[in-house]
Amino acid sequence: MVKVINNPLDQYIADLFAPEDEVLRWIQSEADRNDLPPISILPDEGRMLQLLIKAIGARSIVEIGVLGGYSGVWMARALPADGKFYALEKLSKHAQMARNSFERAGLGWCLTMIEGDALDSLQRLTEQGLGPFDFVFIDADKVNYTRYLTWAGDNLRTGGMMAAHNALRGGRIMAPDTVEDRAMAEFNRALAADARFDSTILAVGDGMAVGIRK
Ligand code: SAH
Ligand code: MG
């Protein structure tokens, strides 16, 4: 199945600013071949994440929910030569494919893959004293987004950034329909009320909630 971009505005932005190279196209076809769900970010969202990472001069990134590594490769490409990418993924099938994607992209040098439930992995990251971190991208189970936000508030440096995917839930965020929709609405409210962050939602793709750690 070829990934279709439903929103013509996303297509317009992607065509101009976010053309996929051979590696990104390979990741999507390989994900498809391995029956991974077609739920990665879009090219224009990947480009936006790169710009945000560069804008704050991020040298370390924590991704919660990696799938086949598509968003990870977009983001890791914005890191400097001594950058670090911590990839948190529950399913070993996904983690293995993401490792392959980073290798294929020539990005194996920055990758630390941490398999298991993200809440456990985040606690380990804190305990290992690897933080504070510069950039946290949340894109895993929606019901835990608010917990991931709490961790980001505790573990981002001042001026660091949190970005959370699917903030608009295909438009359903204003009339939540599922447990996940409701969890996302709760997350957006929590972020808006969180005094530790300056925040908003960037309405590109499926909506990127972003917050700068004060
Ligand atoms: N960021 C990816 C898409 C992630 S899809 C991209 O844009 O390319 C969501 C991923 O989160 C899936 O791979 C799923 O296995 C993982 N996930 C779901 N719940 C999780 C949890 N509790 N801990 C870690 N990973 C989880
Ligand atoms: Mg997502």
Side-chain angles (χ1 to χ4, degrees):
M1 191 184 72
V2 175
K3 180 139 189 160
V4 177
I5 301 185
N6 290 314
N7 182 348
L9 293 172
D10 285 297
Q11 189 72 63
Y12 173 79
I13 298 169
D15 286 347
L16 265 181
F17 295 101
E20 290 178 314
D21 67 355
E22 181 270 322
V23 173
L24 291 166
R25 282 197 299 271
W26 177 85
I27 294 172
Q28 293 300 41
S29 63
E30 191 68 5
D32 206 32
R33 210 175 61 75
N34 287 310
D35 287 320
L36 268 56
I39 55 174
S40 70
I41 60 163
L42 300 173
D44 54 332
E45 294 176 308
R47 183 64 180 146
M48 181 173 70
L49 287 168
Q50 286 185 340
L51 272 279
L52 295 172
I53 288 160
K54 286 173 185 256
I56 66 158
R59 302 155 74 90
S60 61
I61 298 172
V62 177
E63 177 172 43
I64 306 171
V66 177
L67 195 64
Y70 183 79
S71 55
V73 165
W74 272 106
M75 289 190 283
R77 283 177 168 173
L79 281 171
D82 61 348
K84 295 252 183 284
F85 193 97
Y86 300 95
L88 277 50
E89 173 53 53
K90 182 171 69 174
L91 299 181
S92 54
K93 177 183 172 183
H94 296 180
Q96 191 49 54
M97 172 159 174
R99 280 191 199 93
N100 294 341
S101 299
F102 272 69
E103 284 304 324
R104 184 113 181 170
L107 290 164
W109 54 269
C110 68
L111 178 67
T112 302
M113 176 63 69
I114 308 174
E115 284 187 42
D117 188 87
L119 286 171
D120 298 335
S121 305
L122 290 170
Q123 196 184 332
R124 288 223 314 272
L125 276 182
T126 304
E127 285 165 4
Q128 286 169 2
L130 295 166
F133 303 94
D134 296 329
F135 197 92
V136 175
F137 178 50
I138 303 174
D139 194 19
D141 45 343
K142 307 310 168 205
V143 292
N144 281 316
Y145 264 40
T146 307
R147 291 187 183 90
Y148 301 145
L149 175 65
T150 301
W151 185 89
D154 291 342
N155 291 275
L156 278 170
R157 69 159 160 89
T158 302
M161 179 175 274
M162 180 287 316
H165 193 227
N166 308 109
L168 297 177
R169 302 289 299 166
R172 294 188 308 280
I173 199 66
M174 295 192 329
D177 203 25
T178 64
V179 170
E180 285 77 22
D181 292 350
R182 280 188 287 278
M184 186 58 76
E186 177 59 35
F187 170 85
N188 289 340
R189 280 193 296 272
L191 177 61
D194 193 328
R196 297 197 287 180
F197 289 95
D198 281 322
S199 58
T200 191
I201 295 172
L202 305 176
V204 169
D206 196 27
M208 194 71 75
V210 293
I212 297 263
R213 180 71 169 89
K214 292 197 237 176

